[in-house]
Amino acid sequence: MPTHRPLPTPPRVGVRIIGTGSALPARVVTNDDIASIVQTTDEWIYQRTGIRQRHVCEQAKGEGNLDLCIRSLRTALESARLRADELDLIICGTISQDLRCPSTACMVAGALGAGRAAAWDLGAACSGFVYGLNVAHDLIRGGNYRRIGVIGADTVSALVDYTNRGTCILFGDAAGAVVLTATDDPTKGCLAQANHANGSAWPDLFMPGDEAMVTEEYDRASVRPMCLQMNGKAVFKFAVGTFQELIAETLEKAGLTADQVDLFVCHQSNARILEAARERFGIPPEKLYINIDRVGNTSAGSVPLCYDELVRAGRVREGMTVMFVAFGAGLTWTSSLWQM
Ligand code: UT7
């Protein structure tokens, strides 16, 4: 019989979010601006989505995804009082990288002077930040990493066809970031998480590289390559149901009820989807943050932008229970329930 030496018991490590940051382009595009390009109205967009305006990068001036990522992580590091070279890893959730190679995370690491920190991008569309938050949390809990920067950023304005009113009304550009650190207090960190995908539903929201990749539910002649295609109705239906199941699943895993959660920080895809979840769980408005009216759907930037705004408004305090929730292309959906 072989004799095995018992593995050493890993130290019980907690995880804390010690810094946040976000970045929005200066240029604001209102619903009236969109209505001057495609056949729509401010009233229609606001009633169907809750959006009044969005911030959009000025690509002609060289403003893009990388700038927003750098600005958001720099601010998060400043608020955490850390230097970039004190990070072990940078994860960037994004689908709108300025360059296909190298990863945006590597370029951010280079720009901020992160030394030899590992760096990679995580492609899960609007779920990218929350997926990344869960991965980073578990890496720290596992004991191999102590400090990780997680960015969620998208500049979907560069991927949108501004003749397609089904998509161009929705999206804006933004980035947000958090800095996580290991702590001796094991009660701090993620209490429960859920990460899912349904790969068979990818044609509901995707970006074809060329015409041959356009699936049969879309009108090929009207599809622009490298622009986002969305079956809005299907995604809406998926989102309303999944969003609520996700909250229920996460609460059940943690053994908590919705009223025990202090804040819900949710992907801002459509105010009607958020409102349906709020009603189902009886969540008071002040506990479910909404900024979609000011920024639109900013994909992976959405959740960390909301969280940074809440932190800066003094609405997040030590000991609070906060649930992050997101869903998007893939289709993907994910949650992370934290004890702050
Ligand atoms: O970030 C994650 C992924 N994205 C989402 O979560 C988005 C999910 N989907 C949605 O938010 C909604 O489906 C949209 C906002 C995109 C569309 O709203 P809807 O209530 O589902 O509208 P619809 O597609 O059912 O269209 C209703 C009507 C149609 O006219 P008819 O057939 O009733 O005459 C459309 O042609 O509204 C028309 N329509 C518009 N009218 C004015 C569609 N888009 C527009 C528009 N302006 N922009």
Side-chain angles (χ1 to χ4, degrees), residues 58 81 124 179 207 217 220 266 319:
E58 292 192 75
R81 296 198 170 83
V179 173
M207 210 178 76
E217 50 272 78
R220 274 205 179 155
C266 302

Side-chain angles (χ1 to χ4, degrees), residues 16-321:
R16 292 187 64 207
I17 299 175
I18 55 164
T20 66
S22 60
L24 283 166
R27 183 173 166 223
V28 170
V29 174
T30 64
N31 289 349
D32 285 337
D33 293 331
I34 300 271
S36 71
I37 310 170
V38 289
Q39 204 178 357
T40 190
T41 59
D42 172 44
E43 192 191 2
W44 192 96
I45 299 173
Y46 185 67
Q47 279 182 0
R48 300 285 176 131
T49 68
I51 298 168
R52 288 275 190 214
Q53 61 170 48
R54 68 287 291 141
H55 291 247
V56 169
C57 284
E58 292 192 75
Q59 305 284 344
K61 291 189 180 166
E63 192 181 34
N65 187 294
L66 180 62
D67 303 311
L68 299 183
C69 290
I70 292 170
R71 280 167 53 195
S72 64
L73 185 58
R74 182 185 284 132
T75 310
L77 284 163
E78 281 165 8
S79 66
R81 296 198 170 83
L82 282 186
R83 295 187 317 272
D85 64 2
E86 293 177 281
L87 294 174
D88 303 319
L89 168 65
I90 297 172
I91 299 175
C92 182
T94 188
I95 52 155
S96 44
Q97 300 89 333
D98 292 346
L99 300 185
R100 270 182 102 128
C101 181
S103 68
T104 302
C106 279
M107 294 172 82
V108 171
L112 295 180
R116 295 169 71 87
W120 72 71
D121 288 357
L122 191 158
C126 306
S127 302
F129 173 79
V130 181
Y131 263 24
L133 184 68
N134 285 333
V135 171
H137 172 275
D138 288 5
L139 288 174
I140 293 176
R141 275 258 207 248
N144 284 320
Y145 293 78
R146 283 197 68 77
R147 297 188 184 109
I148 301 180
V150 185
I151 305 168
D154 270 313
T155 43
V156 181
S157 69
L159 314 177
V160 155
D161 170 4
Y162 279 95
T163 65
N164 179 349
R165 68 178 182 175
T167 52
C168 75
I169 57 161
L170 283 177
F171 295 100
D173 301 337
V178 295
V179 173
L180 307 184
T181 186
T183 165
D184 293 340
D185 179 353
T187 65
K188 302 286 184 202
C190 185
L191 302 170
Q193 60 176 268
N195 304 288
H196 298 289
N198 173 11
S200 63
W202 67 264
D204 287 342
L205 184 50
F206 77 114
M207 210 178 76
D210 58 36
E211 204 180 284
M213 293 173 80
V214 179
T215 49
E216 60 199 13
E217 50 272 78
Y218 298 93
D219 170 18
R220 274 205 179 155
S222 67
V223 167
R224 286 209 182 154
M226 302 308 288
C227 284
L228 216 57
Q229 299 305 312
M230 181 174 75
N231 180 344
K233 271 189 200 309
V235 177
F236 189 89
K237 204 171 153 206
F238 150 79
V240 170
T242 306
F243 198 65
Q244 299 181 21
E245 283 165 27
L246 188 56
I247 293 175
E249 178 187 353
T250 316
L251 289 171
E252 195 188 328
K253 280 185 174 177
L256 294 180
T257 51
D259 61 308
Q260 291 174 297
V261 177
D262 297 304
L263 272 176
F264 290 85
V265 186
C266 302
H267 172 46
Q268 310 280 305
S269 66
N270 185 318
R272 285 151 63 205
I273 296 170
L274 296 170
E275 191 55 32
R278 215 177 58 66
E279 275 175 21
R280 152 132 184 229
F281 293 99
I283 301 167
E286 64 277 12
K287 282 192 176 187
L288 198 158
Y289 189 64
I290 293 189
N291 68 0
I292 193 170
D293 53 322
R294 286 184 285 114
V295 300
N297 177 342
T298 60
S299 186
S302 169
V303 168
L305 172 66
C306 286
Y307 187 63
D308 183 49
E309 290 184 355
L310 283 161
V311 168
R312 281 169 202 282
R315 290 179 57 188
V316 182
R317 290 182 300 281
E318 170 127 25
M320 272 187 161
T321 309

